[in-house]
Structures are given as C-alpha cells and as structure tokens.
C-alpha cells in the first residue's frame, strides 16, 4: 500500500508539473490595452531555441519593418507638404503681379474707350471735316439784325476761318490759321469766340484748338494776327 501511494503521488506531481510547463506557453492577454512581451533568454548558440524565442523574434522584425515603413511614409508625406508651403509663399507675389497687370489692362482699356467716345462725340458735333459756325456782331458792316457769320474749319490739318460780314457771302473774307501736326491733327475741332482783349472797345476773335488759343485783333474792318509785343488779356 505504501509503495502504490508513493507512485500515485509522484504521478500527480508530474502531471501538475507538466500542466504548469504547458501553461507557460499559453500566455493569456490581460484586460488592458498594454501588451506585454516576454523577453527571450539570450543563448550563446543558435540551436538551443525555445518556442517563446521563435515567436517573439518575428514580431520584433515586423515592428522594425513597420517603423522603417513609417519613416519612409513620413518622408514621402513631408515632400509634398514642403512643396505646398513653397507654392503658398509664391502665391502672394503671383497674385500681386496679376493684379497689377489687370489694373494696367483696365487703365489702357479706359483710355482707348475714352478716345473712341470723344471721337464719336466730335463726329456728331463737328462732322468731317471739323466745322464750327457762329454769328457775332463785330462792327464789320453788320448789326443786331444782320450779324456777321463765321465758319471755323479744319481742312486737312489747315485752320481756315471764313467771315461773311453782315451775313453777305459776296464780301466773304478768309483768314488762314496754322497747320496742325501730330497724330489725329486732321480731326481736331477748331472753335472761336469774340471779346475785347486789348481794351480798344472792339470785339477781337479768339480761335481755340484744344488747349491752344490764337488771337486775331479787330482793326475795325477785318481781323489781323496778334503782333509781337502787343499785350492782351484773355
């Protein structure tokens, strides 16, 4: 009886020992998010390798590969970001240049449109050739009932003034003005007005060409160009 009991106890101890050794290979996952790895025992030889080392080594390699892949991915992601930042830095200069070009184009367009509109207005007002007409009493065989008639012309860049004293075309007098030069000189309007500018009591003739004014002095029977040294008040 004693020998059999001793055998049974030894068998039970061996079974418990085997169960304990088998439980070491089955590590249950804890209820936390932290993963624990059992560190393998370093051996001098590569032949003596436990099952734990065989399973842990591939995991380390996988983690190293993942970290290497992550670094490559981060470098690949950083390159477009740096290019995007450079593009954003250049965008304000590009926007400024485009804005200046747009303003310049708008300014030039407004100038062209203004010139075109002024030309259309002059065509409607003065015709072609440019012609301006006015009646005035200047004391040349005229009066309030029969004023003199004046025609101001721009004929192929030549300024010509025609006077009909008292409205009589048979006694017409022609005055020649300057020749107009420059681009569009043949389309410049020529206008006139009459007022006393030298203080002798007789209305003198003023010829306007853009911002230029020509003075013809009334001598009582006709008009003559202003002489050097004569003082007038415009």
């Amino acid at each position: 009886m004693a020998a059999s009991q001793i055998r049974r106890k030894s068998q039970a101890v061996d079974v418990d020992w085997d169960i304990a050794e088998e439980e070491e290979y089955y590590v249950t996952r804890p209820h936390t998010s932290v993963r624990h790895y059992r560190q393998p025992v370093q051996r001098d030889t590569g032949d003596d390798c436990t099952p734990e080392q065989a399973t842990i080594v591939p995991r380390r390699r996988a983690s190293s590969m993942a970290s290497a892949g992550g670094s490559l991915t981060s470098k690949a992601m950083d390159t477009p970001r740096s290019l995007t930042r450079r593009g954003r830095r250049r965008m304000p200069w590009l926007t400024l240049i485009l804005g200046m070009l747009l303003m310049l184009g708008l300014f030039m367009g407004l100038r062209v449109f203004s010139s075109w509109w002024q030309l259309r207005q002059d065509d409607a007002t003065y015709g072609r050739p440019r012609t301006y007409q006015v009646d005035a009493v200047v004391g040349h065989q005229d009066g309030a009932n029969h004023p003199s008639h004046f025609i101001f012309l721009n004929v192929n860049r030549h300024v010509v003034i025609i006077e009909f004293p008292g409205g009589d075309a048979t006694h017409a007098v022609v005055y020649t003005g300057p020749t107009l030069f420059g681009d569009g000189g043949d389309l410049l309007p020529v206008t006139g007005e009459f007022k006393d500018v030298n203080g002798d009591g007789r209305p003198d003739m003023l010829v306007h060409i853009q911002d230029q004014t020509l003075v013809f002095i009334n001598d009582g029977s006709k008009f003559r160009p202003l002489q050097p040294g004569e003082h007038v008040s415009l």
Side-chain angles (χ1 to χ4, degrees), residues 36-213:
H36 298 278
Y37 296 97
R38 184 182 298 274
Q39 299 293 334
V41 179
Q42 301 294 333
R43 301 281 185 175
D44 293 336
T45 61
D47 295 335
D48 298 336
C49 181
T50 62
E52 294 180 359
Q53 294 175 349
T55 56
I56 292 174
V57 170
R59 291 182 181 178
R60 287 187 177 181
R61 291 178 181 177
S63 62
S64 63
M65 292 175 64
S67 63
S71 62
L72 293 175
T73 305
S74 63
K75 291 180 180 179
M77 293 295 291
D78 289 339
T79 302
R81 291 179 181 177
S82 61
L83 293 176
T84 305
R85 292 176 180 175
R86 293 178 182 176
R88 290 179 179 176
R89 292 176 181 177
R90 294 178 181 177
M91 282 300 293
W93 291 102
L94 181 60
T95 304
L96 180 61
I97 293 173
L98 290 177
M100 293 177 65
L101 292 176
L102 181 61
M103 291 180 64
L104 180 60
L106 182 61
F107 177 74
M108 296 299 295
L110 288 175
R111 289 191 60 182
V112 172
F113 176 77
S114 178
S115 299
W116 174 84
W117 181 253
Q118 186 64 44
L119 184 61
R120 299 284 81 80
Q121 293 293 319
D122 291 342
D123 288 341
T125 304
Y126 305 105
R128 295 196 183 192
R130 296 295 190 244
T131 303
Y132 177 77
Q133 304 185 54
V134 64
D135 291 334
V137 178
V138 295
H140 300 170
Q141 302 175 5
D142 57 9
N145 295 329
H146 302 282
S148 296
H149 186 74
F150 294 87
I151 301 176
F152 297 83
L153 297 169
N154 179 0
V155 182
N156 296 327
R157 300 177 181 268
H158 297 285
V159 177
V160 178
I161 303 101
I162 303 175
E163 177 187 2
F164 301 103
D168 187 2
T170 60
H171 297 85
V173 181
V174 178
Y175 304 97
T176 303
T179 301
L180 305 178
F181 297 96
D183 188 18
D186 57 330
L187 298 177
L188 294 177
V190 179
T191 61
E193 63 174 327
F194 299 89
K195 68 178 183 178
D196 184 13
V197 295
N198 60 355
D200 60 0
R202 292 188 294 263
D204 303 306
M205 181 172 63
L206 305 180
V207 181
H208 302 292
I209 307 170
Q210 285 188 326
D211 56 351
Q212 183 180 3
T213 301

